[in-house]
Every structure is written in C-alpha cells, then in structure tokens.
Amino acid sequence: MPQTISIRIDGELVSALQGQTILEAAKQAGKYIPTLCYFEGLSAVGACRLCIVEVAGTDKLLPACTTPVQDGMSVTTTSPKLTQYRRIALELLFVERNHVCAVCVSNGHCELQNLATSLGITNMRHWYNYPNLPVDLSHKRFVLDHNRCILCTRCVRVCAEVEGAHVWEITERGISSRLTSGLNQPWGQVTDCTNCGKCVQVCPTGALAEKGWAVEEMVKQNDNISGLAHRKGGQ
Amino acid sequence: MRKVKLATVWLDGCSGCHMSLLDMDAAIISLAGKVDLVYGPLVDAQEFPDGVDVTLVEGAVSSMEDLHKIQEIRLRTNVLVSLGDCAVTSNVPSMRNPIPVNKLLQRVYVEGADEGKVIPTEGVPPLMKHARPVHEFVKVDVWVPGCPPSAKAILSVVTDLLAGRKPEANPNPKFG
Ligand code: SF4
Ligand code: SF4
Ligand code: SF4
Ligand code: FES
C-alpha cells in the first residue's frame, strides 16, 4: 500500500499517495489543471506543457502530469505567469500547422479550441507557418489530417497500450515531426490496424476523425476508454 | 455630442462578418444614431477619410491591394479592430497558402476553366505569396475572433469603443 503524504495545492492541504503525479493528486482533490496530451489511463508523456504548475522552491515550471508528488510539496495551479506560458504553448500549436476551425469536423468539440477559449486567446502573436501537409484518406472508415495534428501522441499510446496494435509512431524530428502509420505506409494498408477507432476517439483535435461527418459534426466518444485502459493495467 | 467616425473594410473575406454586423436587430438603430459611418461596403464613399475613430476590418491580407489599403487605413484610424477569423487568423483564405501562387492561378483559371483559360492580370491586384492575418502587417488594437463573430460580440465591442472604453476582454473568444 503506497504511503499517504500531505501536499498543498493552491494553499489547501490535501493528502496524496506516494507515487502519484501532481495531476492525479489534484484531480483527486477536485482541483482543475488544464491538460492536452494527457489522457487518463494512458502513460503520461509531458508533451504539451499545458499542465505546467509552480512548485515552491524551484523557478522551473513543472508538468503536473509527469511530476511525482513529494511530502510537503506546495503547488500553485493558477497564476498570471502560468496563464502566460500556457497561452504561449497553445499559440505555438496553432501557428505550427493549419487550423481552420471554420471548416473543421471538430469545430465546437475540440480540446485545443476549447483551451484557447478558456485561456482567453484572441489572436496568435507569432507568424503562421502554413506548412504543406497531406491528408491520409486511405483507411476505409477514418481520416488523418496532418494539418490539425498537434503531435500529442494520444493515438500512439492508446493503440499500443490499450488496443495492442502499435499502428502509430512519430517519425522525423523537431518541426518535421510527423505522425506515421505502420512502416510509414498509408493507414489503409496497415494490416495490424483492427479498425477499433480508439485512436480517433481519444484524439483531442480534428486530426483523426470518422469519415462521413461534415463541419462541426465529429464528437469524440471516449468516456469508456480510460476504464478500459485501467482494466488493462494502465496507469 | 460629436458622433464617432466609424469605418468598415472588407479585405479577403466572405462578407459574413459584415452580415453579422447587420444582424444585431434593433440595436443597430440606436448604434446608427451614435456613429457616422464614413467608409466601407455599406456606404458610398470612394476615399478612406482622415481621422477615423474606429475601423472594423473583415478579411485577411491577401493581395497587394489589401496590403496598401490596410497600411493607409492604419495611418488614418485611431482604433483598428480585426473582426472575424479571416482578419484574426487568416482562416479560410489561408487554405491556399501551402500552394504556390502560380500553380494556384494555373489550376483555377486555366485547368479549371471551361473557356478563356488565361490568368487575369489586368484590373486585378497581384496575390501575395500568402493570405495572412491583419496584425502581421499593421498594429491591431482589438481582436474579435469567430466565423463570423456573433452580432452580440460585435455589439459589445463596438459599444465599448463608442463609449471610449477599452473593450472588455471577451471572456469567451471562440475561433470558428
Ligand atoms: S482541430 Fe480544433 S483547433 Fe484545429 S481546426 Fe479543428 S477545431 Fe480548430
Ligand atoms: S483504429 Fe485501433 S488499431 Fe487501428 S490505428 Fe486506431 S487504435 Fe490502432
Ligand atoms: S492524430 Fe490526434 S491523437 Fe494523434 S498525435 Fe495527432 S493530435 Fe494527437
Ligand atoms: S498534459 Fe501534461 S504535458 Fe501535456
């Protein structure tokens, strides 16, 4: 049985279990920390930096989803500084690829878009990149639109950790990073894909979607996936 | 009381933001009493006048004409508002950006045309390499995202500006 420890979140004393992350402890205490790459039940990778928090004793902003709690830790989840850095993280995601919300299947149901709204973003302070990116229509039921992919790797993890099919991987480095399927094949040619659709449902954006939906129509159904992941022995 | 000089301008957009502006029901009547609409697609004025208090800009900067217009407007406007996603993010007009301009024109006016099959050069402004948001070229004071922004959002911003207040940061800005 893991040891129970005490930490402070926004000044309030809460108990947590040794080995838990700050995010898990916060959720348990009913505190909200914004997240984007995190998905309950999948391994945490700390990719998006939306969940950064301040921890007393260090100037570094730490990702709540991958930082373990320590006895006596004092965590701040909301401050002007955190809002500023969370906005920067989001703005960089928006300018990196081509997010045209007005014509997106996920418009109105997108975690990226919702976070921008909740952080009060009205414009991007950086120049847009406008890369030329493909759309993979080869799968009979699903679409991958690289223009909307934020490389959060939720799809990679759910396919490997829950479905056990290991279809997705990130290839290349830095700004050239791309999601890729199979042995760098079109998705429709990857025989390992079971067509389960888990990747589509956990994708926070309109990057992965079911075919046949028009603008605003793709609503992700992923409530049951965390439960499934827990039963598989995930985190 | 001096009426506020208001202008609107339509760059690379679909006019939806102007439609939304007109969609504010009875509020537009009391608004009309407070402003002098001095320029824009809704009025018949050839020249953008000097000393405009507030200009609402719809659309992205996409051609050399857009660029010259917005630079001129900035010089003659006190408060410049990027109205709608095309002005704020370049939105739908930006979907051409990954395609080189010459290929784009070739595809539309030559390969895609049933007759004529020439790329027009006379009487049309040259396209820029990219359609881009207004604030990448000139200083913008207020952003109102949305495709289109709701009449309510526009009214609230315009009301604040007319009263000489800095518009309250929109609590729920939404792209798309
Ligand atoms: S994925 Fe989200 S942020 Fe990107 S275009 Fe679609 S709705 Fe907008
Ligand atoms: S549909 Fe299922 S098996 Fe196929 S890539 Fe997505 S998660 Fe993996
Ligand atoms: S396709 Fe979706 S889930 Fe996969 S990395 Fe891109 S944004 Fe994340
Ligand atoms: S949710 Fe923690 S880094 Fe993405």
Side-chain angles (χ1 to χ4, degrees), chain A residues 94 101 106-117, chain B residues 174-176:
Chain A
F94 274 101
C101 297
S106 288
N107 188 13
H109 318 283
C110 167
E111 292 183 38
L112 178 66
Q113 188 187 46
N114 288 345
L115 281 166
T117 297
Chain B
K174 185 188 163 292
F175 299 97

Side-chain angles (χ1 to χ4, degrees), chain B residues 110-169:
Chain B
V110 180
E111 291 158 29
D114 290 334
E115 46 192 82
K117 293 188 185 289
V118 274
I119 294 174
T121 49
E122 286 198 14
V124 287
L127 286 181
M128 293 164 69
K129 183 171 172 229
H130 290 152
R132 286 186 166 275
V134 173
H135 66 268
E136 291 190 7
F137 299 96
V138 296
K139 179 174 165 280
V140 168
D141 303 296
V142 179
W143 288 268
V144 190
C147 184
S150 65
K152 216 174 122 207
I154 302 175
L155 180 63
S156 126
V157 166
V158 172
T159 308
D160 282 344
L161 290 173
L162 293 190
R165 290 190 296 265
K166 186 158 171 54
E168 303 217 356

Side-chain angles (χ1 to χ4, degrees), chain A residues 34-38 46-51 63-65:
Chain A
T35 55
L36 190 50
C37 66
Y38 172 82
C48 74
R49 282 353 210 202
L50 256 294
C51 69
C65 69

Side-chain angles (χ1 to χ4, degrees), chain B residues 37-121:
Chain B
L37 194 54
V38 293
Y39 182 87
L42 306 173
V43 292
D44 188 17
Q46 299 303 315
E47 280 276 307
F48 195 93
D50 275 324
V52 174
D53 297 301
V54 177
T55 300
L56 308 176
V57 187
E58 167 183 338
V61 176
S62 191
S63 68
M64 292 313 287
E65 186 188 24
D66 295 337
L67 180 60
H68 293 144
K69 247 193 202 165
I70 199 66
Q71 287 171 334
E72 200 58 34
I73 288 169
R74 176 69 272 190
L75 290 175
R76 299 177 185 193
T77 300
N78 187 21
V79 180
L80 194 71
V81 182
S82 268
L83 182 69
D85 277 0
C86 294
V88 175
T89 75
S90 190
N91 199 28
V92 173
S94 76
M95 292 174 77
R96 71 162 171 93
N97 289 354
I99 308 166
V101 168
N102 56 353
K103 277 199 184 164
L104 183 77
L105 293 173
Q106 181 74 20
R107 178 79 190 88
V108 173
Y109 288 99
V110 180
E111 291 158 29
D114 290 334
E115 46 192 82
K117 293 188 185 289
V118 274
I119 294 174
T121 49

Side-chain angles (χ1 to χ4, degrees), chain A residues 76-96:
Chain A
T76 305
T77 65
T78 321
S79 71
K81 183 176 173 188
L82 288 170
T83 302
Q84 186 195 335
Y85 280 93
R86 286 171 184 157
R87 277 188 186 170
I88 292 172
L90 276 185
E91 286 178 42
L92 290 171
L93 289 176
F94 274 101
V95 300
E96 184 174 326

